[in-house]
Amino acid sequence: MHLIKSNKIKLLLCSLIFSNLYAQTETFDEKILSEKRLKNFDLSQEQIKEDSSKLRKDWINPITYQYTNNLGEDDKTQRSMISINQPIFQSGGIYQAIKYADNSYKYADLDLAQQKKELIKEALNYLYNIEKANLNIEKAKYTLENAKIDVNRKKEQVLNGFLDASFLDDALLTLNTTKNNLVDLKYQKQELINNFNNISSNDYTNFELPTFTIFSEKEFLENNINLKKIEADVDKKGNYSYMTMAKYLPSVNAYYTYSKYHDTDNNTKYSKENDQTFGLSVTVPFDSRTFNDVQSKRIDYLKSKLNLENSLDDEKTFFKSKLQKISMIEERLQITRDDLEVYTSILKIINEEKEAQLKTQSDLDTLQNSQKIKSLDLKIYEVDKQIELLEMYAKLQ
């Protein structure tokens, strides 16, 4: 993949987080996603805000207006009545209801952010694998060149009677396999591009791959979006547990009623009833299901706390496994670097022997191609390392 550094969109998988984690800390870059997908996230964000605002007001009862038109033969009346019955004390239930709404918003907001990060991670993963496919295609081309050299060498040796024809047959099979492998790699690359285009509205060549760095476990856990979401769920269920208990405790309501007759046929009996009433009421519920309901919500709250502890262990294991995988890739990188040094020293000798006509040009070409293949292996391992780091960065808020 051609990585153009000027006038291109630099992809930084980052959010509001410490500067030692990211090159930029202000925004989580969404430009990799298509406009339709971004619009869907924007609408979901608006919906979350509206749902949260409604939930915050759920404890407020509506003001009711009622109009009555009595069509009886004796008394024909028209009456309007406005009334409200509003709880003003619910043994802490009102405060917990507001906190429940706030934590529900926090949970939904984090869940949406997590979904967006997963989609951006998926798009970036396609870009890394497209780059990896390009490198593998280059490798396959050098391997194909070596296979062709080997076929020509075996052909010459067979014709001169130095080798059996089976050796040439094996070389031809290897050449054919290498050609098929190259075709497969080209198809895989196109498949990756198609999958990327499903997510992004821009061409994949318009993006520059980010470079991630390793960070500490403490930073990973403190800024882990999944753990923050589960923490919000714990708080939300704690609020709901208290709300359930408060439902069965004494409550105080303020009520107000105003009624007015519009047409009483001059009946003084009704005109006197144009009045208003207001006051306070105390309610103490007695319900045989109280204990079961309260205990059920309390158990749900305790389960959420255990889920948080289990998720914390899961994230620690995930971080440890990724570091071990990166360490393994680093070892492979070092082995490949050592191999390259060997190739460099051997090539120097082969080149000298070629000048002395002890080795052929095909011998030199074969080793040079093998050296180039090893150089491409280095780049592939670096891409593999970035893919592992991408998995870790996608979990950060």
Side-chain angles (χ1 to χ4, degrees):
M1 182 174 66
H2 301 292
L3 303 177
I4 305 173
K5 297 195 182 222
S6 58
N7 299 321
K8 299 294 182 180
I9 304 170
K10 188 174 183 182
L11 299 175
L12 293 172
L13 187 66
C14 60
S15 183
L16 296 176
I17 199 169
F18 300 116
S19 59
N20 60 330
L21 286 183
Y22 300 100
Q24 295 182 1
T25 59
E26 294 182 358
T27 59
F28 178 80
D29 201 330
E30 304 168 341
K31 294 177 183 178
I32 193 171
L33 301 179
S34 66
E35 291 182 5
K36 288 187 290 185
R37 291 184 183 273
L38 286 175
K39 180 63 176 177
N40 186 59
F41 280 118
D42 290 340
L43 289 173
S44 296
Q45 187 67 51
E46 289 181 25
Q47 185 178 17
I48 289 170
K49 289 180 181 179
E50 294 301 327
D51 288 344
S52 176
S53 181
K54 173 183 174 294
L55 196 59
R56 254 181 152 264
K57 301 171 186 175
D58 270 1
W59 68 277
I60 303 174
N61 287 340
I63 297 173
T64 304
Y65 171 78
Q66 184 180 40
Y67 174 79
T68 306
N69 188 2
N70 188 351
L71 302 176
E73 293 182 0
D74 297 331
D75 298 319
K76 294 184 178 180
T77 61
Q78 296 177 1
R79 182 189 184 196
S80 291
M81 184 171 67
I82 299 173
S83 62
I84 184 172
N85 189 3
Q86 176 59 46
I88 57 175
F89 174 76
Q90 288 186 330
S91 300
I94 295 174
Y95 172 76
Q96 291 297 327
I98 295 171
K99 294 296 293 180
Y100 175 77
D102 291 341
N103 286 316
S104 294
Y105 171 79
K106 184 178 179 182
Y107 177 86
D109 185 56
L110 286 167
D111 185 60
L112 185 64
Q114 189 178 38
Q115 292 177 37
K116 186 184 290 186
K117 277 181 172 290
E118 282 297 315
L119 195 58
I120 294 175
K121 183 197 79 172
E122 186 180 349
L124 279 171
N125 191 274
Y126 284 134
L127 286 181
Y128 278 119
N129 279 290
I130 290 169
E131 176 68 3
K132 190 174 175 180
N134 283 329
L135 295 170
N136 278 318
I137 287 170
E138 285 188 59
K139 268 184 65 176
K141 287 178 180 178
Y142 288 124
T143 304
L144 182 61
E145 287 182 22
N146 278 354
K148 289 178 179 178
I149 291 170
D150 192 47
V151 166
N152 291 331
R153 184 185 293 119
K154 293 291 194 307
K155 181 180 178 181
E156 184 178 343
Q157 290 173 335
V158 168
L159 291 175
N160 290 328
F162 294 111
L163 284 179
D164 186 80
S166 61
F167 289 95
L168 177 59
D169 186 53
D170 289 340
L172 287 169
L173 287 173
T174 301
L175 176 62
N176 188 57
T177 301
T178 306
K179 287 180 179 179
N180 287 326
N181 183 47
L182 183 57
V183 172
D184 290 341
L185 286 170
K186 288 179 179 179
Y187 169 75
Q188 289 171 18
K189 175 187 173 182
Q190 191 56 52
E191 191 175 30
L192 289 166
I193 293 172
N194 292 339
N195 289 334
F196 176 80
N197 290 337
N198 286 335
I199 299 174
S200 178
S201 57
N202 292 309
D203 191 87
Y204 77 97
T205 57
N206 290 337
F207 299 95
E208 182 182 347
L209 289 172
T211 301
F212 301 114
T213 56
I214 297 175
F215 45 88
S216 70
E217 182 185 56
K218 180 182 177 182
E219 290 171 319
F220 176 73
L221 296 176
E222 287 178 352
N223 299 283
N224 190 292
I225 191 170
N226 188 51
L227 292 179
K228 287 181 180 293
K229 189 179 80 168
I230 296 173
E231 286 171 0
D233 184 58
V234 171
D235 294 337
K236 183 178 70 167
K237 287 179 177 174
N239 299 137
Y240 194 70
S241 176
Y242 195 99
M243 287 166 60
T244 303
M245 181 178 66
K247 183 170 67 172
Y248 299 103
L249 296 175
S251 62
V252 178
N253 281 31
Y255 65 88
Y256 174 82
T257 303
Y258 174 80
S259 62
K260 178 178 176 60
Y261 284 93
H262 301 290
D263 185 4
T264 61
D265 289 337
N266 297 319
N267 190 328
T268 56
K269 180 179 69 171
Y270 294 116
S271 62
K272 289 180 182 179
E273 293 184 20
N274 296 338
D275 61 358
Q276 58 183 349
T277 59
F278 56 89
L280 299 173
S281 65
V282 178
T283 303
V284 182
F286 295 97
D287 194 323
S288 61
R289 302 166 299 172
T290 299
F291 178 78
N292 305 108
D293 195 9
V294 170
Q295 279 298 101
S296 175
K297 300 304 182 292
R298 180 174 175 273
I299 290 169
D300 197 31
Y301 170 60
L302 293 174
K303 284 169 62 180
S304 69
K305 292 179 74 174
L306 284 173
N307 183 42
L308 177 59
E309 293 178 11
N310 290 330
S311 297
L312 181 60
D313 291 338
D314 291 342
E315 295 301 334
K316 286 180 179 178
T317 302
F318 172 85
F319 185 83
K320 182 180 178 181
S321 297
K322 288 300 175 185
L323 284 187
Q324 290 171 341
K325 182 72 176 290
I326 291 169
S327 178
M328 180 268 290
I329 294 172
E330 290 285 2
E331 288 182 20
R332 288 184 175 179
L333 281 166
Q334 188 56 51
I335 291 169
T336 307
R337 292 188 191 101
D338 294 340
D339 289 343
L340 276 171
E341 289 181 7
V342 173
Y343 272 107
T344 301
S345 61
I346 293 175
L347 273 170
K348 185 178 179 181
I349 297 170
I350 296 295
N351 197 45
E352 291 173 354
E353 290 182 346
K354 176 185 170 292
E355 290 179 359
Q357 297 185 344
L358 297 174
K359 296 291 182 182
T360 63
Q361 181 63 42
S362 61
D363 293 327
L364 181 62
D365 291 341
T366 299
L367 277 174
Q368 286 177 336
N369 289 335
S370 296
Q371 184 187 46
K372 290 172 184 176
I373 288 170
K374 283 295 177 182
S375 296
L376 290 168
D377 280 338
L378 274 179
K379 294 180 180 179
I380 290 171
Y381 289 143
E382 287 291 351
V383 173
D384 286 338
K385 180 180 174 182
Q386 289 301 310
I387 290 173
E388 296 303 319
L389 286 168
L390 171 64
E391 295 286 336
M392 298 168 72
Y393 270 77
K395 286 180 170 282
L396 299 178
Q397 186 183 18

